[in-house]
Amino acid sequence: MAQIVLVDGDRSTLVTLSRLLESDGHRVLSFVDGDVALRDISNPLNALLVMNTDMPGTSGLDLLRRLRQANNLPVILLSDARSDTEEAYGLHLGADDYIRKPGAPRVVLERVRAVLRRVRQSATGPVLTSRMMRGPLMMNRDGHEVRWNGCEVALTATEFNVLWTLADRPGTVLERARILDAAYGTDLGVTDRCIDSQIKRLRVKLRKADPEFDNIETLYGLGYRFIQQQPTQVVA
């Protein structure tokens, strides 16, 4: 069971999704206004935010931008738009998933389950090691902690999984499909664009800790590679 925040100006959508998520065992907080929801989103009990991009008051994209300044709460965006540009922008801002409406309620439920699985995987890890060192990079699954040269880097659960997947195989070129499988699992509907957006956000966040960061290399037509500049140490 998780506490999920729903934000959508369409009350019928709120009722439908609330009932579906509650029947799946979750506690649901519903809001029709983004400005009102913003006061409750930072509650540490919240596990996931699902919101429409088009709402009265603060739009979903503006709300996501403000949220990401200080909060890594997982976010699924819902949208009535048929715009690849909006989808790419939402993922760029840090959304964990993007669903175009009208989406079948069961599909939304499976996407919610998939994101929550990724959050749990980030916290517990499917591998034997919980702590990884790659030169200046330190990652700790148990505490969802990432540091670069000792400077803390705040990542979402999805960003954490993508970085772990890359850093776990330093020097190895990983195809986007392989990163998708490792970081997203069996999440249906996730595309290569999600990986590209997560990589961009990782670079931005890591360059705040180190303006010279250039350890994630793009090999066009092939995939991505984590470049390790110092010896590796993995602690079980």
Side-chain angles (χ1 to χ4, degrees):
M1 185 183 73
Q3 182 160 291
I4 299 173
V5 180
L6 290 180
V7 190
D8 198 312
D10 183 347
R11 293 181 182 273
S12 64
T13 297
L14 283 179
V15 171
T16 299
L17 292 182
S18 293
R19 288 175 176 172
L20 186 64
L21 292 170
E22 287 171 351
S23 70
D24 201 40
H26 304 296
R27 180 185 178 191
V28 180
L29 306 179
S30 299
F31 300 89
V32 295
D33 187 293
D35 291 316
V36 175
L38 189 60
R39 296 197 296 265
D40 291 275
I41 287 175
S42 60
N43 187 329
L45 295 178
N46 295 331
L48 176 66
L49 168 64
V50 181
M51 65 178 172
N52 202 330
T53 58
D54 185 16
M55 297 181 298
T58 302
S59 73
L61 292 175
D62 286 338
L63 186 58
L64 175 60
R65 185 185 302 107
R66 293 163 65 181
L67 178 70
R68 282 293 178 255
Q69 292 175 359
N71 195 306
N72 290 314
L73 179 70
V75 175
I76 296 177
L77 291 178
L78 305 176
S79 178
D80 297 291
R82 293 291 181 268
S83 169
D84 290 341
T85 300
E86 182 186 270
E87 179 178 356
Y89 187 52
L91 293 170
H92 172 73
L93 289 176
D96 293 85
D97 203 348
Y98 182 100
I99 304 173
R100 298 189 185 191
K101 297 172 66 178
R106 297 295 305 182
V107 172
V108 177
L109 177 60
E110 290 303 327
R111 295 292 188 89
V112 166
R113 288 173 174 173
V115 172
L116 292 175
R117 281 197 302 271
R118 293 204 294 273
V119 172
R120 289 193 294 269
Q121 179 185 12
S122 176
T124 62
V127 294
L128 296 178
T129 56
S130 63
R131 186 178 177 91
M132 181 194 308
M133 296 291 293
R134 295 290 186 261
L137 174 67
M138 188 283 292
M139 301 186 71
N140 179 6
R141 281 192 183 276
D142 292 339
H144 189 77
E145 181 184 11
V146 179
R147 292 183 179 275
W148 183 269
N149 279 331
C151 182
E152 185 174 359
V153 182
L155 301 183
T156 66
T158 305
E159 291 164 353
F160 187 100
N161 287 342
V162 170
L163 182 58
W164 183 284
T165 300
L166 287 168
D168 192 42
R169 299 290 301 276
T172 301
V173 179
L174 299 182
E175 298 178 350
R176 287 173 175 81
R178 188 169 178 179
I179 302 173
L180 279 171
D181 289 342
Y184 286 79
T186 58
D187 190 356
L188 300 176
V190 178
T191 65
D192 289 356
R193 179 179 297 146
C194 294
I195 291 297
D196 294 337
S197 296
Q198 299 295 344
I199 294 292
K200 289 179 182 177
R201 286 188 58 80
L202 281 172
R203 285 171 171 156
V204 169
K205 290 186 174 183
L206 287 161
R207 282 171 183 162
K208 288 183 179 179
D210 178 5
E212 301 300 320
F213 175 84
D214 196 26
N215 291 63
I216 299 178
E217 181 181 11
T218 302
L219 291 93
Y220 294 99
L222 295 176
Y224 294 99
R225 173 169 58 194
F226 184 85
I227 302 172
Q228 183 180 316
Q229 299 172 334
Q230 297 181 25
T232 301
Q233 178 185 357
V234 176
V235 181

